[in-house]
Amino acid sequence: MTNVRQGRVRRGATLGRLAAREAARQARVRMAMLGRSDRARDVLAERSTLAAAEQIVDVLGHLKGGAMKLGQMLSVLDLDMIPESHRDVFRQRLASLRDQAPKVPFPAMRGLIEDELGPLDTVFASFEPTPIAAASIGQVYRGTLHDGRVVAVKVQYPGIETAIRSDIRNLALFAKMWKSLWPGIDSSGIVSELATTLENELDYRLEARNQHHLAGAYRGHPFIVIPDVIPEHSTHRVLTTEYFDGVGFDEIRQRSAAERDHVGELVFRFYVGSIFDRAEFCGDPHPGNILLGADGRLCIVDFGLYIHMDPARVELEKQTLRFAQAGAGDDLLDLLAENGILTDPSSVSGEQFVDYIASAAGWHLIDDELTITPEVATSAVVNAIDIREPQFRSIRKQNLPPEHVMSRRTEFFTFGLLGQLAATNNWHRISEEWVDGATPATEIGRRIAEWENARDGRSGRD
């Protein structure tokens, strides 16, 4: 009995040490992600950095069709990170940038619709001339087809294609401003990604294919709705889809914490989960692209930017998170070096790189409930791309393939949305479903798994 008792004591002490080490590691991950918010604030508070941020708004203000899109992208930044003395001015300038969609009278928009689809009254039984939403390169109207279906009609602004192509040429100016704001990242990759985004969004036929594909994939989903395309009334410049009756993001933000958490989990699962679970994802998380129905279902729209990833690249991202979660820094460095992403692994320690990943993607690693605030979301972006601290200098030499740049952009913008919702969840437990095949830890996850199993069973019988 003595040996057994002593064995139990030794085992208990060992487990206690393991638990203590795990608690310490979790605390370090938290500090890596959250504790450097002050550093991020200091970075943005520097006079030269603030001047560069203002210059970026100036440059974007001179763009045409692309300015609204780029303004939306900048809006993920938490204005609390801007010095209080400059915050109101910056907010006003950014708001004007986001809201500077062309003001096109309906007769001009009607002319474009009829050029594309034919006389309005032959296509629609009724058509409301007041737009229900403004997209980055067009406006959205509500109409009713002759068969009684209510539809949403997205119409490009006349002349927007010429304006966008002009913007793409002017992005070199934006690159210079970005470089002065965040010297720790190669601005050419950002500019290339922005140019691709703008170019793809010009062709509504591409968006129609993406949206129809997703409408089929999510048909019958218990929580996500993708309105299907009406192909006979969609062209290069007009996109007609099913209409979804729901409230917008501003109203969602006013709902109870429980409702905001519900929406936050769905947003996370759709935008980030698709990267790991489907190897394809929508690259444009944005408040204007989600609607909440009265039944709690979330409608997602706008699929001009849709990315398909090589499954091997997705597996690389999963393995990176596994190593970071385990604190296996040396294995992590070897993995990234083997895949040509970290060009000089000898210049940084494994522990430093784990801390770097934790600072930029800690929500995947913290096994605890975490409320995403605007400051947390913005701090993660700044920690990821402004790596001027000495121990992170060699991380500047990362060679990320474009699809990885896109997936990280999508993740950061998703957490920008969650920050505006102040959504709370154990994001790590949800992420484990995709990274490690774990059993769903939330009621939403369990219901989705049941739906997927039933759908796959029906497909098997077919």
Side-chain angles (χ1 to χ4, degrees):
M1 291 295 294
T2 300
N3 289 337
V4 172
R5 188 178 300 112
Q6 289 176 343
R8 286 175 177 170
V9 169
R10 285 197 296 271
R11 287 198 300 274
T14 300
L15 291 175
R17 287 193 296 273
L18 287 174
R21 284 203 297 271
E22 174 61 16
R25 192 183 67 77
Q26 289 283 346
R28 191 180 70 182
V29 168
R30 270 189 181 277
M31 288 303 297
M33 181 186 180
L34 306 179
R36 280 167 47 207
S37 294
D38 288 340
R39 184 190 68 80
R41 189 188 305 277
D42 291 342
V43 167
L44 287 177
E46 294 173 4
R47 176 173 297 188
S48 60
T49 299
L50 178 62
E54 291 179 338
Q55 283 182 297
I56 284 179
V57 176
D58 283 337
V59 170
L60 295 183
H62 287 90
L63 299 180
K64 302 178 183 65
M68 188 176 179
K69 170 59 65 179
L70 297 177
Q72 291 169 355
M73 295 171 69
L74 282 180
S75 67
V76 70
L77 292 176
D78 173 22
L79 290 180
D80 287 343
M81 306 295 277
I82 301 297
E84 187 172 1
S85 59
H86 294 76
R87 199 173 297 158
D88 286 341
V89 173
F90 197 82
R91 181 182 288 110
Q92 291 169 9
R93 298 178 74 181
L94 187 56
S96 66
L97 182 65
R98 287 198 302 265
D99 297 338
Q100 69 171 46
K103 303 298 188 293
V104 181
F106 180 67
M109 300 296 284
R110 175 172 182 157
L112 189 147
I113 297 170
E114 294 190 329
D115 286 345
E116 297 289 308
L117 302 181
L120 211 61
D121 56 4
T122 65
V123 179
F124 302 98
S126 64
F127 195 94
E128 299 176 17
T130 302
I132 58 175
S136 55
I137 63 173
Q139 289 181 164
V140 183
Y141 297 88
R142 179 166 48 210
T144 303
L145 299 177
H146 287 289
D147 61 9
R149 286 179 293 172
V150 180
V151 294
V153 186
K154 184 158 69 169
V155 187
Q156 286 188 13
Y157 300 113
I160 195 67
E161 190 165 346
T162 300
I164 288 287
R165 297 195 191 285
S166 174
D167 288 350
I168 290 173
R169 290 192 296 271
N170 289 332
L171 282 176
L173 297 174
F174 179 70
K176 293 178 181 179
M177 297 301 101
W178 184 279
K179 191 68 174 178
S180 64
L181 180 59
W182 283 301
I185 192 168
D186 180 10
S187 60
S188 62
I190 298 293
V191 168
S192 175
E193 185 253 317
L194 292 177
T196 299
T197 298
L198 294 172
E199 186 74 36
N200 286 344
E201 292 207 5
L202 285 172
D203 190 351
Y204 282 174
R205 293 170 300 188
L206 174 62
E207 181 172 352
R209 288 195 295 271
N210 294 335
Q211 187 158 341
H212 178 65
H213 162 69
L214 280 173
Y218 281 86
R219 187 165 291 115
H221 193 282
F223 298 108
I224 300 292
V225 178
I226 310 294
D228 207 349
V229 174
I230 313 297
E232 63 270 26
H233 300 313
S234 298
T235 68
H236 174 74
R237 296 190 294 172
V238 175
L239 176 61
T240 303
T241 70
E242 298 169 337
Y243 176 79
F244 182 87
D245 189 14
V247 300
F249 194 78
D250 286 343
E251 184 167 336
I252 295 172
R253 292 179 65 189
Q254 306 306 315
R255 297 291 180 89
S256 68
E259 288 177 287
R260 287 184 279 110
D261 292 344
H262 172 87
V263 171
E265 181 172 344
L266 296 180
V267 166
F268 181 51
R269 286 181 177 278
F270 179 79
Y271 284 110
V272 178
S274 294
I275 298 172
F276 297 101
D277 199 38
R278 297 172 54 86
E280 56 184 64
F281 59 96
C282 176
D284 197 17
H286 176 259
N289 295 340
I290 65 173
L291 296 166
L292 179 64
D295 59 0
R297 293 187 303 164
L298 198 68
C299 175
I300 312 288
V301 298
D302 200 339
F303 302 100
L305 183 62
Y306 198 73
I307 312 300
H308 295 267
M309 288 187 72
D310 181 342
R313 292 291 188 185
V314 177
E315 182 55 37
L316 172 63
E317 294 201 4
K318 291 181 181 180
Q319 191 59 48
T320 297
L321 289 175
R322 292 183 192 118
F323 283 150
Q325 176 67 29
D330 292 340
D331 291 332
L332 178 58
L333 293 184
D334 289 344
L335 176 71
L336 298 179
E338 289 169 4
N339 284 273
I341 291 176
L342 193 61
T343 57
D344 188 11
S346 63
S347 61
V348 62
S349 74
E351 183 175 345
Q352 287 169 341
F353 209 96
V354 168
D355 282 347
Y356 168 68
I357 291 178
S359 72
W363 37 72
H364 285 295
L365 309 182
I366 298 171
D367 188 8
D368 197 0
E369 283 199 343
L370 175 67
T371 299
I372 307 298
T373 65
E375 184 177 47
V376 167
T378 302
S379 178
V381 175
V382 174
N383 289 341
I385 65 180
D386 188 89
I387 42 184
R388 286 180 277 187
E389 291 188 5
Q391 68 267 35
F392 289 152
R393 282 175 184 163
S394 65
I395 299 176
R396 296 182 186 182
K397 301 177 182 179
Q398 290 182 84
N399 181 31
L400 284 177
E403 55 190 353
H404 287 288
V405 173
M406 295 295 286
S407 62
R408 297 288 64 75
R409 169 193 182 272
T410 297
E411 189 166 331
F412 286 141
F413 285 12
T414 298
F415 276 88
L417 288 177
L418 300 186
Q420 293 182 53
L421 292 171
T424 300
N425 214 315
N426 187 320
W427 311 102
H428 165 74
R429 292 289 178 92
I430 299 173
S431 178
E432 275 190 320
E433 296 176 31
W434 318 313
V435 175
D436 293 319
T439 300
T442 69
E443 179 60 25
I444 288 176
R446 287 187 285 271
R447 286 189 58 186
I448 291 175
E450 291 172 0
W451 171 75
E452 289 174 339
N453 290 334
R455 179 194 58 184
D456 294 342
R458 290 193 299 270
S459 297
R461 288 194 297 273
D462 293 343

